[in-house]
Amino acid sequence: MSQVVLDRAQAGELDAADPLAGYRERFLLDEPGLIYLNGNSLGALPLATLRRMDRMLRQEWGTALARSWDHWVDLPARAGDLVGELTGAAPGQVLVTDNTTVNLYKLACAALDARPGRRVIVTDADNFPSDRYVVEGIAAQRGLELRMLPTDIDEGVDPELVRAAVDEDTALVSLSHVAYRSGALADMAGITAIVHQAGALMLWDLCHSVGAVPVDLDGCDVDLAVGCTYKYVNAGPGAPAFLYVSARLREVLRQPIWGWFSQADQFEMGPRYHPAAGITKFMTGTPSILGTAAVEEGARLLLEAGLGPLRAKSVLLTSYLVELADAWLVPLGCAIATPRDASRRGGHVSFRHPRAERIVEELAAGGVITDYRTPERFRFGLSPLTTRFTDVWDATQAARDLIEREG
Ligand SMILES: *Cc1c(COP(=O)(O)O)cnc(C)c1O
């Protein structure tokens, strides 16, 4: 470890050379001195969203009232196409709607119905709670078998374990692309191919990838995907999630919630349900229009910055953090609980320490916002649009001082 890297001036030089540095000013972030490393939990507020919400509330809702539905009605699919640009999906395959959990349920049921006779759902034992609970519930309701992959919680899903777990009885495999706890990045192309060889369908959760890691859904031949928008997409608390259904399957699959927004002729108000054509058939009821507009603004900002530059900065940020942590935190008994190879991780880095929960509380008291995850882990989430290298330096130094002081 060179002394230069440990010098705060180096962090300042990295900020000065950062082509995305200007994007931070496009967010509210108005608390002086605050270091926010929790954008992977709730992203910051874009100023464009603030202006858009004001306009929508005053003019579109306040003045125009129900007349606004004329242009609101297409918003979920329009915002979906923007999220599609972020995730390598051609237009017409992504919809912004509901939350991630509900979308997981809809797509998992649709996939199982498309593989009648197959009795096994595979997920990983360290997948995000909703992802596990939803398939646990579906397996219980339908009398299916749920196979849990034994995953190393720091290293993520091993494709060979997926290969060993799937067979001719497997209907669906559901995994997270970036692990919420460790940030480990799964091999989307490789695992999807393994699942297809067994004749099963693949469902990816992109909550911790979209906006931080390039995703190529069409290129990887993915069947189904879901993801939220309030993390790196900065769409705000409770903003609707998205779902992706490959054009190969879109006309074949049926989702389990038959609502009027997915009816072929919504205002016919007819006696029977007939699913709409296209991605619209995965809608349920009235969408959150304000939330969907916020997704549009967040996605536009990311697309303007460019997915290549975003990933390049994200890799630099996490690598810089790992370097500082090796010098300052590891000698104090803090282990790095994220893959060291930058190509195998997403936008956050986790640390293991017996007092992780207290470290997060004390950092927060000093204006450094991070978060805690069981067991004994704290995460530094580095959002490429808003996080500065000096933030990484200051936060790591604060963690070092705190651990040094309290052991
Ligand atoms: C954040 C997150 C979710 C959130 O699901 P919601 O239903 O939108 O609350 C789901 N899965 C993963 C992997 C997540 O990180």
Side-chain angles (χ1 to χ4, degrees):
M1 177 57 52
S2 67
Q3 283 308 111
V4 183
V5 169
L6 298 182
D7 181 353
R8 193 172 188 276
Q10 160 105 4
E13 283 163 25
L14 289 167
D15 282 332
D18 169 16
L20 301 185
Y23 280 92
R24 189 180 158 85
E25 290 164 16
R26 312 268 296 268
F27 290 81
L28 191 67
L29 293 171
D30 59 356
E31 185 179 323
L34 184 78
I35 297 175
Y36 190 66
L37 301 187
N38 203 17
N40 59 329
S41 183
L42 179 66
L45 168 59
L47 294 173
T49 305
L50 205 55
R51 290 190 293 269
R52 175 91 180 264
M53 290 303 117
D54 190 67
R55 204 166 61 240
M56 289 190 76
L57 288 168
R58 288 173 192 280
Q59 296 166 18
E60 298 188 26
W61 176 18
T63 303
L65 291 157
R67 290 170 287 181
S68 292
W69 273 112
D70 286 350
H71 61 271
W72 284 344
V73 78
D74 298 330
L75 193 54
R78 267 200 331 264
D81 283 343
L82 282 182
V83 173
E85 277 188 61
L86 290 174
T87 53
Q93 301 175 103
V94 178
L95 194 62
V96 172
T97 183
D98 298 317
N99 59 40
T100 313
T101 306
V102 170
N103 287 334
L104 278 166
Y105 179 80
K106 284 151 59 183
L107 296 193
C109 287
L112 293 168
D113 289 340
R115 288 291 179 275
R118 291 183 174 231
R119 297 197 55 267
V120 176
I121 306 172
V122 177
T123 189
D124 101 73
D126 198 43
N127 206 348
F128 189 80
S130 261
D131 299 57
R132 287 180 283 112
Y133 303 158
V134 161
V135 287
E136 184 188 356
I138 293 173
Q141 286 150 15
R142 296 180 177 225
L144 303 176
E145 179 192 337
L146 182 58
R147 248 175 230 164
M148 289 285 190
L149 296 172
T151 303
D152 181 305
I153 69 171
D154 298 334
E155 290 300 314
V157 177
D158 177 352
E160 290 316 310
L161 290 181
V162 178
R163 195 189 301 282
V166 294
D167 54 30
E168 68 290 342
D169 207 18
T170 308
L172 174 69
V173 178
S174 172
L175 297 170
S176 289
H177 186 216
V178 172
Y180 77 98
R181 196 194 319 267
S182 68
L185 177 64
D187 174 6
M188 178 177 280
I191 291 174
T192 303
I194 290 168
V195 170
H196 285 172
Q197 276 160 25
L201 293 170
M202 183 70 218
L203 168 54
W204 286 103
D205 184 329
L206 308 180
C207 282
H208 278 280
S209 343
V210 61
V213 176
V215 180
D216 188 11
L217 290 172
D218 288 348
C220 293
D221 205 23
V222 168
D223 302 302
L224 306 161
V226 296
C228 65
T229 60
Y230 47 79
K231 293 170 181 164
Y232 297 101
V233 185
N234 304 303
F242 63 91
L243 60 81
Y244 161 89
V245 179
S246 162
R248 289 181 285 107
L249 297 164
R250 197 179 41 203
E251 309 313 322
V252 180
L253 297 190
R254 284 193 97 169
Q255 62 126 334
I257 302 172
W258 294 6
W260 72 312
F261 267 76
S262 64
Q263 163 75 355
D265 184 351
Q266 187 181 5
F267 288 97
E268 184 194 23
M269 306 302 211
R272 318 277 311 215
Y273 177 77
H274 299 288
I279 197 70
T280 304
K281 73 155 85 134
F282 293 91
M283 293 285 290
T284 55
T286 308
S288 158
I289 292 300
L290 294 172
T292 310
V295 175
E296 220 176 25
E297 296 302 331
R300 277 187 191 139
L301 261 182
L302 291 165
L303 290 167
E304 184 190 317
L307 297 179
L310 283 167
R311 174 61 173 166
K313 180 172 176 189
S314 171
V315 165
L316 281 179
L317 283 168
T318 57
S319 302
Y320 185 55
L321 171 54
V322 167
E323 223 175 316
L324 291 174
D326 271 334
W328 288 341
L329 305 184
V330 172
L332 298 175
C334 205
I336 293 175
T338 292
R340 283 179 166 275
D341 174 355
S343 70
R344 292 206 47 245
R345 63 173 182 253
H348 69 269
V349 175
S350 288
F351 301 100
R352 192 179 75 239
H353 189 281
R355 294 196 314 107
E357 194 165 10
R358 195 148 158 70
I359 290 169
V360 169
E361 282 165 16
E362 293 190 10
L363 283 174
V368 179
I369 311 301
T370 63
D371 76 354
Y372 166 72
R373 283 293 173 267
T374 56
E376 300 185 340
R377 277 152 174 80
F378 59 98
R379 305 187 299 189
F380 281 13
L382 313 177
S383 293
L385 285 182
T386 53
T387 308
R388 296 166 297 200
F389 291 89
T390 38
D391 293 332
V392 175
W393 197 95
D394 290 341
T396 317
Q397 197 205 39
R400 177 197 68 183
D401 291 352
L402 199 152
I403 298 169
E404 227 166 29
R405 206 168 52 237
E406 304 193 10

